[in-house]
Amino acid sequence: MERSSWGTRAGFIMAAVGSAVGLGNIWRFPYVAYENGGGAFFIPYLFALLTAGIPILILEFTIGHRYRGSAPLSFFRMSGKKAEWLGWWAMFVSFVISVYYAVIIAWAMRYTLFSFNQAWGEDTEAFLFNDFLQLTVSPGETGGIVWGIFIPLVIVWAITLGILLAGVKRGIEMANRIFIPTLVVIFIIIVIRAVTLDGAMLGLDAFFRPNFDAIMDPTVWVAAYGHIFFSLSVAFAIMITYSSYLPKKSDITNNAFITGFANSSFELLAGIGVFAILGFMATQSNVAVADVASAGVGLAFVVFPAIINEFPGMNGLFGFLFFLSLTLAGLTSLMSITETYVAGFTEKFGISRRKAVAFGGGLAALISVLFATQGGLFFLDIADYYINQFGVAAVGLVEVIMVVWILRKADDLKSHANAISDIPLGGWWKFSLGIITPVVLGYMMFGLLRLNIFQQFDTETGNYEGYSNMFTLTGGVAVAAGALLFGILFSLGKWHKNYRFYDEHSEHPEAPARPIKEKE
């Protein structure tokens, strides 16, 4: 069957960058850098980018381009059933992430409107948790639907699924061609205004001042690798799926370097903007930057609204631009996450794209309503923690070990990439994938398992955030384990007859088509 394809190389790069540039670039990276050595953090960060981030991007770009399929189909074509489950595992991890990620975008969309009249009032924390989220139930309880979240959630899914229905070239590529330049322009405006604020230099000094003692701490290096890993959308099945739509002659390594450095450039831009604004907030409140610096939901929906309240002149416009940037960054990532299972279902069952969007996207949208309830924040928090720590990180670790050490495909993939790329892959690529990445990810996983299994969190229950054993098991552990279980189950079925063959781009740009034996 004729496969969808990108219209231009720039379209693919914008889509890949759009996937990588998400909410974490804005609300996570600045704080991670600040907490781990400030300006000195960029040394392990750059090292991690060159020895893990870009090498894994090259790996996934090459897998997708060579085997011409979604993550499950690409791994099946790589080595039959013994590898297919890995693609499904990654895909179901993305499915879980999509159902709660959409809700956070809905929050940002609603806050975009709140910005015009600062509807959050003076007590931004109370507004978020009491008025907006209506968090009046205990962890594990749903409560009623919060209509102020449900309605924008419907809009988020309507936009995302509408784009996916339009296809790769007319949908995803066209949307990213609009969203990414708009996002960059908006954030440049935010940064320009931020650095002119009173106290901005105080914030930038806190962000950039190097603490070289910190980089002697192994945990700082682990933090750098961890952030790079999560930031670039690797091990989500996204980059394999996106690269499968590339044309026959595509420069794999150049595309990976451009995507990696574009993502890092936006993170640096975000760091400048965020800490310039935090410096302003600290000056206004007559406190240290450390007292106002935070990350995640607290930074975006509590600290920034408080800052906007104090903003000198046109604070409504500034707030609108900030939350619009969150919305756009979220949408570009959500459409890429959702595309992974749209492509997977299309190819496994031989159904049309329209049916796959309706089934996969519709199911995700339906489940996401859980996070639009009064107890939705608790479900979101625990699902996010466990699926990221024991889903994405675990998939990445297994992926590199499987491809490099078990299936021994690194040399074949390197030959494929080198045949069509300007920058040849040398020994550094295989060493990075085969040694550095497994060691770092393995160390991370060991630490996380020890922390969670032996309940070493400094909370009353010993669990993450002090949640009960039952809620931790059902809302967190079961979700992460379920992604793996569904991955294995889906790999047991046969592929539709239209997708059991390589097309003309498989294995090598000049290779002929050949069948895949289902019994493999």
Side-chain angles (χ1 to χ4, degrees):
M1 294 183 67
E2 183 179 354
R3 186 167 183 77
S4 300
S5 63
W6 303 106
T8 62
R9 179 185 181 186
F12 163 72
I13 291 174
M14 282 193 182
V17 171
S19 174
V21 172
L23 299 174
N25 296 68
I26 299 172
W27 73 24
R28 185 175 186 272
F29 169 76
Y31 188 74
V32 170
Y34 169 70
E35 283 282 281
N36 290 279
F41 178 75
F42 290 102
I43 296 174
Y45 175 87
L46 183 61
F47 193 80
L49 176 65
L50 295 175
T51 59
I54 291 176
I56 297 177
L57 269 181
I58 293 172
L59 173 70
E60 296 199 339
F61 281 178
T62 308
I63 289 173
H65 184 263
R66 173 170 177 176
Y67 296 108
R68 313 305 294 170
S70 60
L73 182 58
S74 290
F75 279 110
F76 170 71
R77 287 175 168 176
M78 179 187 291
S79 196
K81 291 292 183 183
K82 62 185 177 183
E84 180 187 341
W85 64 274
L86 179 57
W88 286 112
W89 183 18
M91 194 207 78
F92 278 109
V93 165
S94 285
F95 181 88
V96 172
I97 292 172
S98 70
V99 299
Y100 66 79
Y101 200 81
V103 180
I104 303 175
I105 302 170
W107 298 355
M109 186 177 288
R110 189 78 188 283
Y111 266 67
T112 303
L113 299 179
F114 289 158
S115 299
F116 288 113
N117 62 351
Q118 291 81 66
W120 47 68
E122 294 299 319
D123 191 344
T124 57
E125 184 173 5
F127 176 82
L128 173 65
F129 296 112
N130 299 334
D131 300 318
F132 181 60
L133 298 179
Q134 299 178 24
L135 195 63
T136 57
V137 298
S138 300
E141 298 176 355
T142 57
I145 295 289
V146 181
W147 296 103
I149 299 174
F150 178 81
I151 293 173
L153 177 62
V154 171
I155 296 173
V156 167
W157 279 115
I159 293 171
T160 302
L161 300 185
I163 290 169
L164 295 182
L165 279 172
V168 174
K169 186 187 300 184
R170 295 183 179 179
I172 300 173
E173 181 173 344
M174 185 65 68
N176 278 286
R177 281 182 171 274
I178 297 171
F179 290 170
I180 294 303
T182 303
L183 174 62
V184 172
V185 169
I186 289 173
F187 224 83
I188 288 175
I189 294 172
I190 291 173
V191 170
I192 291 173
R193 182 66 185 98
V195 298
T196 63
L197 293 171
D198 183 29
M201 292 304 109
L202 180 67
L204 293 179
D205 179 68
F207 180 60
F208 284 110
R209 178 179 292 177
N211 176 11
F212 290 107
D213 291 336
I215 63 174
M216 302 305 294
D217 185 347
T219 60
V220 172
W221 288 79
V222 172
Y225 274 90
H227 180 76
I228 284 291
F229 188 79
F230 291 114
S231 175
L232 286 174
S233 292
V234 292
F236 284 81
I238 295 170
M239 295 307 182
I240 293 176
T241 303
Y242 268 12
S243 59
S244 72
Y245 302 135
L246 282 169
K248 180 178 177 181
K249 299 293 184 180
S250 297
D251 194 323
I252 298 294
T253 54
N254 256 335
N255 288 341
F257 273 99
I258 292 171
T259 301
F261 281 108
N263 176 70
S264 295
S265 298
F266 187 85
E267 288 192 319
L268 179 59
L269 185 69
I272 293 171
V274 167
F275 268 85
I277 296 168
L278 290 177
F280 164 75
M281 181 64 171
T283 300
Q284 293 297 109
S285 305
N286 197 27
V287 298
V289 173
D291 294 331
V292 294
S294 63
V297 171
L299 174 66
F301 299 102
V302 176
V303 175
F304 261 86
I307 292 171
I308 293 166
N309 285 343
E310 303 295 327
F311 212 78
M314 300 184 70
N315 53 355
L317 177 60
F318 183 85
F320 171 79
L321 291 176
F322 175 75
F323 286 108
L324 179 60
S325 70
L326 287 183
T327 303
L328 292 176
L331 284 172
T332 58
S333 294
L334 180 61
M335 71 176 75
S336 70
I337 296 170
T338 308
E339 175 64 17
T340 63
Y341 48 89
V342 167
F345 292 151
T346 297
E347 295 167 347
K348 184 72 174 183
F349 304 112
I351 59 178
S352 67
R353 182 177 188 86
R354 182 177 295 275
K355 290 181 179 179
V357 170
F359 171 69
L363 181 61
L366 182 63
I367 296 174
S368 70
V369 175
L370 170 67
F371 304 100
T373 62
Q374 290 174 299
L377 179 63
F378 294 126
F379 287 99
L380 187 157
D381 183 41
I382 198 166
D384 176 63
Y385 175 78
Y386 278 92
I387 201 66
N388 271 291
Q389 306 300 335
F390 301 102
V392 178
V395 169
L397 177 61
V398 173
E399 179 179 284
V400 293
I401 291 175
M402 175 82 77
V403 173
V404 177
W405 292 108
I406 298 177
L407 301 179
R408 300 282 182 173
K409 294 291 184 179
D411 288 332
D412 291 341
L413 293 171
K414 182 172 74 172
S415 297
H416 179 86
N418 284 345
I420 53 177
S421 302
D422 290 336
I423 304 174
L425 298 177
W428 71 274
W429 182 71
K430 189 174 179 180
F431 180 79
S432 295
L433 290 177
I435 304 297
I436 297 177
T437 301
V439 167
V440 175
L441 287 180
Y443 180 83
M444 287 172 55
M445 289 302 301
F446 174 77
L448 288 168
L449 287 170
R450 184 177 63 178
L451 182 66
N452 286 272
I453 290 176
F454 295 102
Q455 296 184 314
Q456 293 181 338
F457 288 99
D458 186 19
T459 61
E460 185 176 341
T461 63
N463 295 321
Y464 170 71
E465 291 296 325
Y467 293 134
S468 67
N469 290 336
M470 180 59 70
F471 185 54
T472 299
L473 287 172
T474 57
V477 176
V479 170
L484 173 58
L485 178 61
F486 273 99
I488 294 172
L489 291 176
F490 267 68
S491 69
L492 299 178
K494 291 186 176 182
W495 287 91
H496 187 271
K497 62 181 180 180
N498 291 337
Y499 295 95
R500 287 202 296 267
F501 298 86
Y502 286 117
D503 65 18
E504 69 274 14
H505 302 319
S506 65
E507 295 196 286
H508 188 276
E510 305 302 330
R514 73 179 181 86
I516 301 298
K517 295 180 180 179
E518 188 77 22
K519 66 181 181 181
E520 292 180 353

